[in-house]
């Protein structure tokens, strides 16, 4: 059984997690590295005040500034072309707050991997939110594809169920249709 070498160092309050030898064995290293990159990207977006750096094969693959500004994190990961194509979205009603960015209709991608959903500080997936974004966007562009989306939603903890998925990445809302309507309306506007 192979075990990777894991090391945590602290340099004046800046922590570094080093993991060497993750891909020893029968792994497709490019696929696994892409999954790690995607996961670290979503973590960086969920915590823009923390600087993240991902080094793969001795090359920096991701480096966020940790300024606390989500737009800085998005720019550092995806570049200025995407950042300049983003539209801020905001909705605050009763106990529901949504803040984030969505790309203009001329900036679409072939997969939902460019969409980050954060609910109550947790990176999640949710079919209702994904569908609301997709349906609102279909009316804006005839081209097939998905917009870049970063949506941060805050709701009462009692209105969500995190026990839908073993890794707690998929959640269910108490009132999925209410969330769908709110996200759909906000993205369309």
């Amino acid at each position: 059984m192979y075990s990777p070498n894991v090391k945590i160092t602290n340099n004046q309050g800046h922590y570094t997690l080093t993991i060497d030898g993750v891909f020893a064995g029968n792994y497709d290293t490019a696929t696994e590295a892409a999954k790690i990159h995607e996961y670290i990207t979503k973590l960086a977006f969920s915590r823009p005040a923390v600087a993240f750096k991902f080094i793969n094969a001795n090359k920096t693959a991701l480096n966020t500034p940790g300024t606390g500004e989500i737009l800085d994190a998005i720019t550092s990961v995806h570049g200025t072309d995407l950042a300049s194509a983003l539209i801020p979205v905001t909705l605050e009603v009763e106990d529901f707050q949504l803040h984030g960015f969505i790309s203009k209709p001329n900036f679409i991608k072939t997969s939902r991997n460019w969409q980050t959903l954060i609910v109550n500080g947790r990176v999640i997936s949710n079919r209702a939110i994904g569908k609301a974004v997709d349906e609102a966007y279909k009316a804006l562009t005839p081209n097939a594809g998905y917009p870049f989306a970063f949506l941060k939603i805050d709701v009462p903890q009692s209105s969500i169920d995190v026990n839908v998925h073993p890794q707690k990445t998929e959640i269910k809302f108490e009132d999925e249709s209410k969330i769908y309507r709110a996200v759909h309306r906000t993205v369309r506007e």
Side-chain angles (χ1 to χ4, degrees):
M1 184 101 183
Y2 176 79
S3 175
N5 179 27
V6 178
K7 180 173 74 173
I8 299 175
T9 56
N10 178 355
N11 181 12
Q12 299 175 349
H14 298 275
Y15 292 89
T16 301
L17 172 64
T18 305
I19 306 171
D20 289 323
V22 173
F23 302 122
N26 297 323
Y27 292 100
D28 177 351
T29 57
T31 300
E32 295 301 316
K35 288 177 184 177
I36 291 170
H37 187 277
E38 180 182 344
Y39 184 72
I40 293 173
T41 296
K42 291 183 183 299
L43 282 178
F45 290 173
S46 73
R47 301 283 187 259
V50 176
F52 286 83
K53 187 174 190 178
F54 174 47
I55 299 171
N56 182 33
N58 296 319
K59 293 182 183 172
T60 300
L62 180 139
N63 192 8
T64 64
T67 62
E69 297 295 326
I70 185 57
L71 199 52
D72 291 343
I74 292 169
T75 302
S76 70
V77 172
H78 295 301
T80 55
D81 287 347
L82 172 66
S84 64
L86 294 180
I87 302 165
V89 292
T90 302
L91 175 66
E92 293 186 17
V93 290
E94 298 171 18
D95 54 2
F96 177 89
Q97 293 87 39
L98 181 151
H99 300 278
F101 295 93
I102 190 152
S103 61
K104 294 177 182 174
N106 62 338
F107 204 102
I108 58 173
K109 295 295 176 183
T110 57
S111 78
R112 283 193 183 99
N113 290 345
W114 288 66
Q115 297 179 354
T116 301
L117 308 175
I118 299 170
V119 174
N120 295 354
R122 179 191 305 241
V123 177
I124 61 99
S125 63
N126 175 269
R127 289 186 182 141
I129 295 173
K131 187 174 180 179
V133 170
D134 295 347
E135 292 296 320
Y137 225 76
K138 278 184 188 176
L140 301 174
T141 179
N143 299 330
Y146 305 95
F148 170 90
F150 168 81
L151 301 178
K152 182 179 179 289
I153 298 171
D154 290 302
V155 295
Q157 194 66 33
S158 61
S159 70
I160 60 173
D161 180 3
V162 296
N163 295 317
V164 175
H165 189 276
Q167 295 175 340
K168 310 286 190 232
T169 56
E170 188 173 325
I171 67 167
K172 195 153 184 65
F173 290 93
E174 185 177 65
D175 188 347
E176 295 267 321
S177 64
K178 177 182 174 183
I179 300 299
Y180 173 92
R181 288 189 308 273
V183 171
H184 186 272
R185 185 180 83 216
T186 305
V187 170
R188 274 195 74 145
E189 292 174 358

